Amino acid sequence: MPSCAFITFGCKINQYDTQAIREEILDLGYVESRDPSAVDLLVVNSCTVTERAGEKVGEKIRSLTRKNPAAKVIVTGCISEDDRIRLEKIPEVVHLIGNEEKHRVAEVLQGAPLLEKKPRRNSRAIFDLKIHGFEGRTRAFLKIQDGCDSFCSYCIIPYLRGGSRSRDHEPVLQEARRLVEDGGFRELVLTGIHLRQWGLDRGIEDGLARLMLDLRQIPGLDRVRLSSIGEGAFTDAFLGAFQADSGLCRFFHVPLQSGSERILRRMRRDYTIEDYVAAMERVHLQLPGSVLATDVIVGFPGETEEDFQQTLQLLEQLRFVKVHLFPYSPRPRTRAARLDDHVPVEVREQRMIRVRELCQRLQQRELERRVGDRVQVLIEKESSEDRPSAAEGLSREGIRVQFEDLDGSLRRGTEVEGILEQRNDQKMSARIVAIGAGEGLQR
Ligand code: SF4
């Protein structure tokens, strides 16, 4: 039987899409191998969010095909024009399939031609990709939205993934039932490029709150989590859903990007600092115990020391536990790349060091504040030979937690209740007070 391997770059949506493609290709009779340097078929789901990310895709394929020149390579995902030119030069790459035909990878592999007239960028065919499990994971990602209407000045995504489209309510519920009933998943993570836009193209306002509560009606689905979400999502209905149901995880990853109003306008973000602060303060007030995470771009064109200071101040004020830092790098064909006041590399690097130090301190402070909290943790790593008597998992609030597991009884996919005791770097340790009724993953 022919063998295959899958390599995924980029976001959670890509991980979802790879899983769906994997299932279709395995249904054709391929056998998955863990060693991509010795397979007949390599499927690469690419990301080009930065220029460097696009280059890495080419480098990875070249290094694998040098070891395995007989492999056929299919590249799909966010392939920009630049990547296309770069990848077409690699003889092993037999197909380059953009996001608009990503749902046809298995068909193309069987000999169907790529469409001469490409579907509209806003085609809903992307939702033809479906999953039944999630390889190697305790929590499954469930895609409910794709594309983006926002056109932030530094971002290429709307050009590569098209406008925002929402997957319909019922297919989302059906897929969730499959993942819970057949896959044994007790937590689902709703993903999208811009989750807050879910439902808007179908004329539904505040639909996300309803969708999450409906998902929680599925027997066995204990936890529903959101991947990153815009500040505009935090309406009364949204916050009310979290207040009503403790199975909706109080972990919110809300991209800020900059604490300077001036820079936000240059980024063309669709909120003000005032909107953002008000939303995060509502979370702290109405959903106590929530963990906040964010993204920050450091050294955006025109960012002065004062702008940067405003970012530092806001990170401290809003009590983020996790901050994902990205040094700005120009993405060709975006508005920001054409701005002329780029921040010198040394200044950007210095700011990265300063903000990283602050974030470490913030994280320590916030985790220490939580000592004594009662948390529900989904076990992701069982104790093993290399980690005897130690199990690890994720709390509903998104905190990594370690437990002593002296008799090795804690099973992956089981939820346990514990009291947080102390911080070990980016994790907390906890004392178990109850073990949930779950039976763990069936795989
Ligand atoms: S919201 Fe902005 S940064 Fe996020 S995907 Fe859309 S355009 Fe890109």
Side-chain angles (χ1 to χ4, degrees), residues 147-152 154-158 193-194 197 257 269:
C148 180
D149 292 332
S150 292
F151 293 93
C152 299
Y154 53 85
C155 182
I156 191 97
I157 287 178
I193 295 292
H194 203 330
Q197 291 175 352
Q257 310 304 17
R269 300 290 287 172

Side-chain angles (χ1 to χ4, degrees), residues 27-48:
D27 279 351
L28 297 179
Y30 280 77
V31 177
E32 186 168 3
S33 161
R34 297 275 162 234
D35 179 6
S37 62
V39 288
D40 301 301
L41 171 70
L42 188 60
V43 178
V44 180
N45 196 359
S46 65
C47 166
T48 59

Side-chain angles (χ1 to χ4, degrees), residues 98-159:
N99 283 320
E100 63 287 350
E101 283 192 86
K102 203 176 206 179
H103 58 290
R104 298 189 60 237
V105 171
E107 231 178 283
V108 172
L109 177 62
Q110 285 178 292
L114 285 170
L115 302 176
E116 271 181 30
K117 189 169 179 312
K118 297 289 176 216
R120 285 180 307 117
R121 279 261 161 80
N122 289 356
S123 155
R124 297 180 55 77
I126 188 72
F127 297 126
D128 290 351
L129 287 172
K130 295 186 176 58
I131 63 171
H132 296 76
F134 222 105
E135 185 59 28
R137 293 200 172 260
T138 316
R139 305 175 288 134
F141 299 142
L142 173 48
K143 180 163 89 170
I144 65 168
Q145 185 273 345
D146 206 328
C148 180
D149 292 332
S150 292
F151 293 93
C152 299
S153 65
Y154 53 85
C155 182
I156 191 97
I157 287 178
Y159 304 98

Side-chain angles (χ1 to χ4, degrees), residues 289-306:
S290 295
V291 163
L292 294 183
T294 194
D295 295 339
V296 167
I297 297 176
V298 178
F300 187 78
E303 183 190 72
T304 61
E305 177 60 24
E306 194 189 336

Side-chain angles (χ1 to χ4, degrees), residues 227-403:
S227 60
S228 91
I229 181 124
E231 54 71 43
F234 295 84
T235 61
D236 289 344
F238 182 85
L239 293 167
F242 282 84
Q243 283 167 333
D245 186 345
S246 63
L248 302 184
C249 296
R250 293 185 178 198
F251 168 77
F252 302 104
H253 178 177
V254 192
L256 167 65
Q257 310 304 17
S258 172
S260 154
E261 191 68 54
R262 197 179 69 81
I263 295 296
L264 280 192
R265 299 285 66 78
R266 300 195 104 202
M267 289 177 167
R268 299 191 162 225
R269 300 290 287 172
D270 61 358
Y271 51 85
T272 62
I273 296 290
E274 198 184 339
D275 296 336
Y276 189 95
V277 170
M280 296 306 93
E281 285 180 346
R282 277 205 301 276
V283 175
H284 281 310
L285 198 68
Q286 297 183 34
L287 303 175
S290 295
V291 163
L292 294 183
T294 194
D295 295 339
V296 167
I297 297 176
V298 178
F300 187 78
E303 183 190 72
T304 61
E305 177 60 24
E306 194 189 336
D307 296 315
F308 178 63
Q309 287 289 345
Q310 288 170 357
T311 302
L312 298 181
Q313 211 179 335
L314 208 56
L315 292 177
E316 182 128 27
Q317 177 190 333
L318 295 176
R319 297 177 32 210
F320 290 103
V321 177
K322 293 182 191 174
V323 184
H324 303 264
L325 297 170
F326 302 92
Y328 172 76
S329 78
R331 185 72 188 85
R333 300 173 211 272
T334 58
R335 279 170 181 269
R338 295 195 293 272
L339 294 172
D340 52 13
D341 42 2
H342 284 255
V343 174
V345 178
E346 324 76 73
V347 177
R348 212 183 321 163
E349 283 171 358
Q350 268 306 316
R351 288 183 187 162
M352 280 295 287
I353 295 170
R354 288 162 63 199
V355 67
R356 204 175 277 130
E357 282 168 6
L358 171 71
C359 295
Q360 277 167 0
R361 264 195 295 116
L362 288 180
Q363 187 177 56
Q364 286 176 11
R365 190 183 73 189
E366 288 306 315
L367 290 180
E368 271 155 20
R369 262 191 193 164
R370 286 165 195 266
V371 169
D373 284 4
R374 191 173 276 256
V375 287
Q376 263 104 18
V377 180
L378 188 68
I379 300 296
E380 295 193 326
K381 289 185 194 158
E382 298 172 6
S383 57
S384 60
E385 266 180 34
D386 8 320
R387 307 155 12 98
S389 315
E392 190 178 308
L394 194 71
S395 80
R396 293 189 178 198
E397 302 77 15
I399 299 173
R400 289 248 141 247
V401 183
Q402 292 173 321
F403 293 98

